[in-house]
Amino acid sequence: MRYLTDSHTMKSVDACSIQEFGIPSVVLMERAALGVSAFLRKIIAENTRQESSIKVVCVCGSGNNGADGIAVSRQLNENGIYADIVLVGTSAGTDEYRLQKSIAEKLGIHCDEYDSNTDFGEYDYIVDAIFGIGLSRKIEGRYAQIIQAVNNARDKGTSKVVAVDIASGISADNGQIQGVAVRADYTVTFGYNKTGIMFYPGASYSGSVEVINAGFVTDDILHSKVEGFGSIFTYDDKDAGRLLVRKPDSNKGTYGRTLIIAGSKNMGGAAILSASAAYRSGTGLVKVLTHEVNKTALLCRMPECLISTYLDNMPLAAELKADFEWAKSIAVGPGLSMNGVAAELTRCVLEREDKVRILDADALNIIAAEHIDYKGSSEGKIIITPHIMEMSRLTGKTAADIKEHMIESAKEYAIQHSCICILKDARTVVTDGQKVYINCTGNDGMSTGGCGDVLTGLIAGMTAMGLDAFEAACLSVYVHGKAGDYAAAGKGRAGMTAADISEAIAYVLKR
């Protein structure tokens, strides 16, 4: 598990280290700058035969981010790499900035004020130390011109850009561009990756991201001292492996039973994709409730499945009772349509409060259209899987507002409905209203029909196996994205299908 921080939490981490534990700010700054300069020396060594011929410029604002940049220049010069300083700040600067500037001047490091004649294109590497994570306003005027000059040098292909902590102009909280932003080839960020670097468009401006230890106090101390620290995180393969454990002495009943209610008339593909993914997850038994016309297709494609069917206008409440008793988890919505039968199915699932329930696609559209109020409980957790437009229908917020405030939108809805919200986008957010998981697996090839059906089946299988509902939601999103990456590697992003993703789940879990 890798912790992520937004600007507020990172400032609290910084303050805790300095004020409560007495680590001087300049010590943290020196550690941070050493990390950046060491990274630069590494990439210079990997890409250049003669380091002495390399020219670097550190473009420095007048805040602590600029002070970091000045320290980087000093350290590079100490190691035989020519590094100029260009000052772009319009104020006297912070105490740390004035200190670092004074040291650089006394050492005779070349230091100029920016003007319209400054040509960043003459440098091999540009260090962006203009603004740090504290930026909260739109960049205009002179600063916008400077950032454009940095980007122009990069676009010509003569210069590589290394951002200090975060590329200037990106919101450290949500990845939005504050008017204009530096396009970095590399970002060296301190302590913890930032949510603004994870979310798009910030992610596409950040290049390759390196997280370095800048000397802050340890995680266990921060958990107890900094409110909210550790509540935002992402997974890696070790986390997935920790949760995926099977028993040598087991049978199909050991790994749970899931009921998937999917596929209205002539929409059997959604049921097939969901059921396939559920079985690929490792669950023991999958039962599909689908429209009668889908039965033959389901039997041909998924002979492992148990099948129940319904007809239009058929009373369902009594028929569902045995299926609900049998299942450990219930998923409803993929390809279900929005007719009367679908609405009845959705209401019946919501009323069953002793099971984990996954609400997807048309089940969510029915809830939005009919203004159905619901809440999960400790005995019957509810997991919802809306994409941006479905979330807009559920909340009444615009898609643009939700996309700009992914974490806040998902948390607010999760708290209101006592549910686990999986808000799907290029960076999917999973939250129970307190903890927030941000997924970094997957690719644009997953923008294809049926991909959400696969995720629903995967979640249904994971929860049926007895995993904690929140952990199952996070793990399913992670594995789903990894399967998408595996499918893209074999089929290409343009040519891959949802069925390829479902099949790839087995290979991902094997690894």
Side-chain angles (χ1 to χ4, degrees):
M1 183 181 295
R2 290 172 289 158
Y3 296 127
L4 307 171
T5 58
D6 56 19
S7 60
H8 173 77
T9 304
M10 199 63 227
K11 288 175 185 176
S12 297
V13 169
D14 202 42
C16 177
S17 300
I18 295 168
Q19 297 168 12
E20 291 202 41
F21 292 90
I23 302 174
S25 175
V26 290
V27 171
L28 295 176
M29 184 168 289
E30 195 71 8
R31 284 282 299 271
L34 282 167
V36 177
S37 61
F39 176 80
L40 257 167
R41 288 161 53 203
K42 175 186 172 186
I43 62 173
I44 288 170
E46 289 173 351
N47 294 287
T48 311
R49 291 184 177 179
Q50 292 184 329
E51 292 185 9
S52 59
S53 66
I54 292 296
K55 292 179 67 178
V56 178
V57 61
C58 296
V59 187
C60 304
S62 52
N64 281 2
N65 193 251
D68 289 332
I70 296 172
V72 169
S73 173
R74 167 170 50 81
Q75 292 165 4
L76 290 173
N77 278 288
E78 289 170 356
N79 284 277
I81 296 174
Y82 182 85
D84 283 346
I85 299 169
V86 171
L87 303 175
V88 300
T90 56
S91 67
T94 63
D95 291 343
E96 290 83 353
Y97 168 82
R98 292 194 297 273
L99 173 62
Q100 294 291 353
K101 181 172 178 284
S102 174
I103 295 170
E105 288 171 343
K106 290 174 182 176
L107 290 172
I109 297 172
H110 190 73
C111 185
D112 280 332
E113 299 282 342
Y114 174 82
D115 63 37
S116 58
N117 295 318
T118 302
D119 180 12
F120 294 127
E122 68 178 84
Y123 296 95
D124 301 287
Y125 292 90
I126 303 169
V127 176
D128 163 31
I130 304 170
F131 297 111
I133 63 170
L135 181 68
S136 59
R137 57 183 172 82
K138 186 176 180 180
I139 297 174
E140 299 174 321
R142 180 172 179 270
Y143 283 118
Q145 293 171 5
I146 293 165
I147 287 175
Q148 192 58 57
V150 171
N151 288 339
N152 288 342
R154 177 185 181 273
D155 292 344
K156 289 177 183 177
T158 57
S159 308
K160 296 286 187 182
V161 178
V162 180
V164 175
D165 209 13
I166 192 167
S168 295
I170 297 174
S171 165
D173 297 328
N174 58 19
Q176 296 300 302
I177 305 305
Q178 309 286 67
V180 64
V182 168
R183 292 187 177 274
D185 296 285
Y186 309 94
T187 297
V188 182
T189 195
F190 307 141
Y192 308 91
N193 205 348
K194 311 303 183 292
T195 52
I197 295 174
M198 293 285 290
F199 285 119
Y200 288 94
S204 61
Y205 279 68
S206 300
S208 175
V209 179
E210 184 87 0
V211 181
I212 64 164
N213 181 358
F216 301 112
V217 292
T218 57
D219 290 355
D220 57 337
I221 292 174
L222 293 173
H223 275 295
S224 62
K225 295 288 185 179
V226 174
E227 183 179 358
F229 177 81
S231 63
I232 307 176
F233 62 94
T234 190
Y235 275 172
D236 56 26
D237 285 355
K238 290 181 180 179
D239 300 301
R242 174 179 61 84
L243 295 171
L244 293 166
V245 179
R246 294 182 76 83
K247 301 173 183 178
D249 182 17
S250 61
N251 56 59
K252 62 188 176 184
T254 306
Y255 302 109
R257 303 175 299 276
T258 188
L259 174 65
I260 296 175
I261 305 173
S264 62
K265 189 174 182 178
N266 298 322
M267 291 289 287
I272 292 167
L273 289 168
S274 292
S276 172
Y279 263 127
R280 295 291 187 191
S281 75
T283 197
L285 288 167
V286 178
K287 189 170 191 176
V288 177
L289 173 60
T290 189
H291 195 282
E292 175 70 25
V293 300
N294 301 323
K295 183 176 181 178
T296 300
L298 194 60
L299 283 169
C300 291
R301 289 291 300 275
M302 290 296 301
E304 304 90 345
C305 280
L306 305 171
I307 302 175
S308 289
T309 62
Y310 65 87
L311 293 169
D312 295 331
N313 303 316
M314 171 182 171
L316 291 166
E319 300 289 332
L320 288 172
K321 186 175 181 180
D323 286 341
F324 284 179
E325 290 292 341
W326 174 85
K328 288 192 68 175
S329 69
I330 305 166
V332 59
L336 201 60
S337 299
M338 292 181 65
N339 53 36
V341 176
E344 182 183 356
L345 287 166
T346 300
R347 288 183 181 277
C348 287
V349 171
L350 287 171
E351 289 167 3
R352 189 67 195 229
E353 297 183 348
D354 60 339
K355 307 284 182 178
V356 177
R357 291 151 291 167
I358 302 97
L359 309 177
D360 180 43
D362 285 324
L364 297 175
N365 292 330
I366 288 166
I367 288 169
E370 300 193 7
H371 305 288
I372 299 172
D373 193 22
Y374 69 93
K375 283 185 180 292
S377 65
S378 57
E379 295 81 17
K381 297 290 179 74
I382 289 178
I383 302 171
I384 68 166
T385 63
H387 55 57
I388 297 292
M389 285 307 300
E390 287 166 344
M391 192 67 166
S392 178
R393 296 181 199 116
L394 287 168
T395 63
K397 296 179 180 179
T398 66
D401 183 55
I402 292 167
K403 194 171 179 68
E404 186 173 341
H405 302 99
M406 290 277 290
I407 292 176
E408 295 86 346
S409 297
K411 283 182 71 174
E412 179 182 343
Y413 192 88
I415 291 168
Q416 287 175 351
H417 296 274
S418 301
C419 68
I420 295 162
C421 179
I422 300 176
L423 181 52
K424 298 182 295 191
D425 200 38
R427 289 286 190 257
T428 292
V429 170
V430 183
T431 181
D432 59 359
Q434 302 300 320
K435 300 183 292 294
V436 176
Y437 167 75
I438 300 176
N439 189 59
C440 58
T441 61
N443 59 80
D444 50 49
M446 299 176 76
S447 300
T448 186
C451 190
D453 304 330
V454 173
L455 176 60
T456 297
L458 191 52
I459 301 165
M462 293 286 187
T463 50
M465 287 190 286
L467 283 175
D468 170 80
F470 181 70
E471 285 191 332
C474 298
L475 177 62
S476 297
V477 171
Y478 179 82
V479 171
H480 184 244
K482 293 282 279 191
D485 291 335
Y486 189 96
K491 300 291 180 70
R493 295 183 181 186
M496 61 190 277
T497 66
D500 296 326
I501 298 169
S502 180
E503 183 178 353
I505 290 168
Y507 298 100
V508 170
L509 297 187
K510 180 182 176 182
R511 283 169 48 188

